[in-house]
Amino acid sequence: MKHGGRNVYMVSGGVTKFAKATPEMDFRLRVKKAFDYAMNDVNLTLNDIDGSVASYFADHFQRQLMAGIMVQDYLGLTPKPSKRVEGGGATGGLAFQTGFEEIASGRMDTCAVYGFETMSHVNTWKGNEFIALASDTNFDYPVGGFYTGYYAMMAVRHMHEFGTTVEQLAKVSVKNHKNALHNPYAQSPMNITVSDVRNSPMVSYPLTRLDVCTMSDGAAVALLASEEKAFEITDRPVLIKSIGTGTDTMRLSDRPMGKVPLLPNEKESDYSNLKYPGVHSFRAGRTAAKEAYEGAGITDPIEELDLVELHDAYTSSEIQTYEDLGLCKYGDGGKFIDEGKSEIKGKIPVNPSGGLLASGHPVGASGIMQSVFMFWQLQRTVKKHFKDDFLQVNNPKRGLIHSHAGTGTYVTATIMEAVK
Amino acid sequence: MTINPNAKMEETQNGTEVYSIDPLVVKSHYEIDYIHSYAQDSEFFRALGKKKIMGSKCKKCGYTYATPRGHCMMCGAETEWYQLPNTGKVHTFTTCYFGSEEFLKETPFNLIMVEFENVDSLFMARLIGADLEDIYVGMPVVAKFRRNQKFSPTDVYFVPVAQPEKKKKR
């Protein structure tokens, strides 16, 4: 592998049910519940954990700086090493990769990556303001001040460039909310139709209320280990095969026009007329995938991956991300959902958990949540944890988790593999 | 004498706003003023008062920015200020019917990304004088400036260019 470090495995995970508000627990207790679930599932004690990584996005939400150390303290992990990782919507994905690096480097043999967010301390519109402060406050925040607006402009350009329709966007919402009916941890399981999505209140054209994820309280924990430790802890660990991280300009307006960084399954002639990335695609998503595919030796993602949990804070970003990950060519994302390829029984299930749209998006927890759901899929233990095996993908070998910030400023792609 | 076993905390009439007793949920207020410097971006904001939109151009590689930056992202060299035209085209758009709290009272508002001829990057702005159904990619727009400058990027906004021909279908 490119990183040259030791093999890293995920050995356990835990998630609290995501909800609009959970005033009966603060962030420390919520993480503790997810942590204990993960620890008890493999009979670990605090002595077995070498250190940790804390994942949360906005100090504004908590109005508590150094919330990471408060969790470390509450869990009983002091005085062991820990650090906080922050990167907007990709915070969870970045923290998971940081945990990977702690083990790969040989610094730790076991690492707990815990993520949380408590967004219910303020109302939705104040929450949107906090989130919008993650856009350039000189030029972007004072003009738009609303992430849904920024993504909506990207969606409009995608529609213009490729002919993507609002109905195709809506199909993502229908699929993900329906999948979540079988996920007991999900915030908004719903049986809805394309017309329900289109008839829900317009938030920012073309995105309606049901095209956009909700504010959430929640926590998720992933336990990672070195090869030797992993097989001591469980006979079914999941290998974290490779990681990839991409970045892009903070301002959407600065996205340059150039050539598409090609994935192994693509040719330059595929995109001879495409001005890239412009504001229709996520270059950081593409470069994250490229690095992760190279690390895992993947040359044809749709054939070599069995499922994907990707960052669908907006229906449009799921369509854009199919293309960034090379599941289909740029421009074919709308067709991809029309053909049902990302359905639970489709060619490559995407967001079988319900994704962020239906599971909820407590920012710092979301990327860790994806790792937990992917871990259970690859262990083939969805039935045990969900008490329902409807979402269990048939005998999956390899999956990709994808976490995403800003309008695609930080993006992570991580490949996980079943070893048994 | 400083020792007083009968000392009492002052009792006040202003109380705590309680939302729930179990669990106990209370309201706490938080307010702050920031002393924000536009630093190397200052010229852009000063120029809006002179009805000029200033972009920047790389001194070394010539890459041009509609939203200015002090150093070039392509080669790392310092940029210089240069004036953008007042007319451009809509590269993409949306209408926000909701917003973050600060801008909620301004909804619905239109956001556009403006492309200027022969400029390599875009500029985000508000568009007024057009409803969602009027706006399309490629629509010609022209800059207008607020008379009472607020030293905000919204000191410049765009309106549709008056056109005789029928608007293009989106």
Side-chain angles (χ1 to χ4, degrees):
Chain A
M1 261 180 80
K2 193 180 169 190
H3 72 79
R6 304 193 295 171
N7 281 348
V8 184
Y9 292 78
M10 182 160 169
V11 293
S12 192
V15 180
T16 64
K17 184 180 166 64
F18 292 175
K20 175 79 182 163
T22 50
E24 70 284 4
M25 293 182 276
D26 74 358
F27 63 100
R28 293 169 295 181
L29 178 56
R30 208 174 300 112
V31 175
K32 172 71 174 160
K33 284 180 182 285
F35 179 71
D36 282 353
Y37 187 96
M39 293 287 278
N40 294 336
D41 203 34
V42 283
N43 299 312
L44 290 182
T45 67
L46 291 179
N47 288 336
D48 296 314
I49 302 297
D50 291 342
S52 69
V53 180
S55 165
Y56 58 104
F57 161 53
D59 297 317
H60 298 295
F61 278 115
Q62 211 57 65
R63 210 191 149 193
Q64 169 66 65
L65 277 71
M66 302 275 280
I69 189 60
M70 293 179 74
V71 173
Q72 180 84 349
D73 171 350
Y74 198 84
L75 296 180
L77 289 174
T78 52
K80 293 169 182 178
S82 185
K83 62 168 73 84
R84 180 240 183 130
V85 170
E86 190 280 314
T91 296
L94 289 166
F96 187 77
Q97 295 190 344
T98 302
F100 169 95
E101 289 157 356
E102 295 283 25
I103 309 264
S105 69
R107 185 189 186 200
M108 296 180 193
D109 283 320
T110 51
C111 180
V113 183
Y114 47 76
F116 57 91
E117 210 76 48
T118 308
M119 305 176 86
S120 64
H121 286 187
V122 294
N123 67 40
T124 295
W125 310 119
K126 196 65 174 176
N128 273 304
E129 190 175 304
F130 290 166
I131 292 166
L133 289 169
S135 64
D136 185 319
T137 52
N138 277 7
F139 291 101
D140 289 354
Y141 176 77
V143 179
F146 192 36
Y147 258 100
T148 310
Y150 306 150
Y151 276 89
M153 285 193 286
M154 297 190 88
V156 165
R157 189 69 198 185
H158 197 277
M159 288 159 64
H160 171 82
E161 201 87 35
F162 303 122
T164 312
T165 65
V166 292
E167 288 75 21
Q168 288 169 331
L169 302 185
K171 282 182 183 177
V172 172
S173 178
V174 171
K175 167 179 75 74
N176 293 358
H177 284 101
K178 198 167 280 179
N179 286 350
L181 290 168
H182 301 273
N183 176 357
Y185 294 100
Q187 180 171 338
S188 327
M190 277 189 268
N191 199 359
I192 50 170
T193 63
V194 166
S195 59
D196 290 334
V197 178
R198 291 318 298 167
N199 292 330
S200 74
M202 187 62 77
V203 177
S204 194
Y205 173 84
L207 302 173
T208 71
R209 179 65 204 80
L210 289 171
D211 282 302
V212 182
C213 68
T214 50
M215 300 274 172
S216 312
D217 285 2
V221 173
L223 301 180
L224 310 183
S226 63
E227 185 156 296
E228 194 187 7
K229 278 280 176 195
F231 285 92
E232 277 174 28
I233 294 169
T234 171
D235 59 0
R236 258 200 285 176
V238 166
L239 178 66
I240 302 167
K241 180 71 179 170
S242 70
I243 64 173
T245 316
T247 58
D248 212 336
T249 64
M250 179 64 155
R251 296 190 297 243
L252 205 48
S253 56
D254 286 353
R255 304 285 160 89
M257 305 286 196
K259 281 189 175 171
V260 180
L262 297 176
L263 295 174
N265 57 324
E266 297 173 326
K267 302 184 294 293
E268 202 166 317
S269 59
D270 294 339
Y271 302 124
S272 49
N273 296 317
L274 183 64
K275 281 189 164 181
Y276 180 87
V279 298
H280 52 74
S281 297
F282 303 117
R283 182 172 53 158
R286 165 75 34 152
T287 45
K290 198 163 150 48
E291 186 191 356
Y293 292 158
E294 280 165 12
I298 290 174
T299 55
D300 193 357
I302 194 164
E303 294 304 328
E304 295 170 57
L305 293 171
D306 298 309
L307 76 159
V308 172
E309 285 282 343
L310 64 78
H311 190 99
D312 59 331
Y314 306 91
T315 52
S316 49
S317 25
E318 176 160 326
I319 300 247
Q320 289 163 298
T321 301
Y322 296 152
E323 304 172 356
D324 299 324
L325 298 180
L327 303 182
C328 61
K329 297 220 184 320
Y330 278 116
D332 288 348
K335 201 170 113 206
F336 195 78
I337 184 91
D338 276 344
E339 289 171 351
K341 285 188 175 156
S342 52
E343 300 276 339
I344 185 76
K345 303 289 178 206
K347 171 78 183 158
I348 179 160
V350 176
N351 289 325
S353 68
L356 314 186
L357 276 172
S359 295
H361 184 21
V363 181
S366 303
I368 319 284
M369 164 199 82
Q370 293 173 323
S371 76
V372 175
F373 292 153
M374 182 59 75
F375 173 74
W376 290 340
Q377 285 281 3
L378 295 171
Q379 267 200 330
R380 301 184 295 284
T381 54
V382 166
K383 186 174 185 179
K384 173 182 161 190
H385 300 286
F386 284 8
K387 319 286 180 235
D388 180 343
D389 68 354
F390 182 84
L391 298 175
Q392 177 68 61
V393 173
N394 184 29
N395 203 23
K397 296 285 189 328
R398 198 186 254 168
L400 181 147
I401 54 174
H402 162 276
S403 192
H404 168 122
T407 43
T409 46
Y410 289 116
V411 183
T412 67
T414 303
I415 312 276
M416 296 170 65
E417 262 181 28
V419 291
K420 274 198 181 173
Chain B
M1 192 180 84
T2 53
I3 302 295
N4 177 8
N6 298 318
K8 274 191 176 173
M9 198 71 122
E10 188 195 355
E11 299 293 339
T12 60
Q13 285 302 313
N14 54 324
T16 301
E17 199 171 319
V18 175
Y19 291 124
S20 116
I21 290 291
D22 186 19
L24 185 57
V25 180
V26 299
K27 181 176 184 170
S28 62
H29 185 71
Y30 183 42
E31 198 174 292
I32 192 163
D33 286 317
Y34 279 98
I35 310 216
H36 181 78
S37 169
Y38 283 119
Q40 72 271 23
D41 293 335
S42 298
E43 177 56 22
F44 170 85
F45 295 92
R46 287 192 296 258
L48 295 179
K50 296 173 230 152
K51 302 192 179 221
K52 287 180 182 175
I53 320 170
M54 299 301 285
S56 63
K57 182 176 197 165
C58 179
K59 287 183 191 172
K60 196 173 156 201
C61 74
Y63 196 88
T64 45
Y65 297 92
T67 315
R69 45 199 295 155
H71 285 81
C72 180
M73 67 178 184
M74 293 298 174
C75 72
E78 205 178 353
T79 59
E80 58 193 0
W81 292 101
Y82 95 111
Q83 194 180 339
L84 294 165
N86 279 5
T87 54
K89 284 193 298 187
V90 171
H91 184 78
T92 188
F93 62 92
T94 186
T95 301
C96 295
Y97 295 89
F98 293 94
S100 61
E101 192 170 274
E102 189 182 344
F103 304 106
L104 211 47
K105 58 188 182 303
E106 299 170 28
T107 57
F109 56 81
N110 303 320
L111 284 181
I112 56 171
M113 303 287 291
V114 184
E115 60 178 69
F116 299 101
E117 205 169 356
N118 299 321
V119 177
D120 296 315
S121 76
L122 305 168
F123 183 78
M124 184 160 78
R126 296 278 183 98
L127 173 73
I128 64 164
D131 292 331
L132 175 64
E133 51 274 22
D134 303 319
I135 314 171
Y136 58 91
V137 171
M139 180 188 203
V141 290
V142 59
K144 283 198 161 190
F145 298 84
R146 270 190 164 136
R147 193 164 53 86
N148 292 328
Q149 205 183 353
K150 297 184 193 306
F151 293 98
S152 156
T154 49
D155 285 348
V156 57
Y157 55 92
F158 287 77
V159 296
V161 170
Q163 290 186 94
E165 76 264 42
K166 223 168 141 29
K167 81 174 171 78
K168 206 171 95 184
K169 261 274 201 242
R170 141 159 121 240

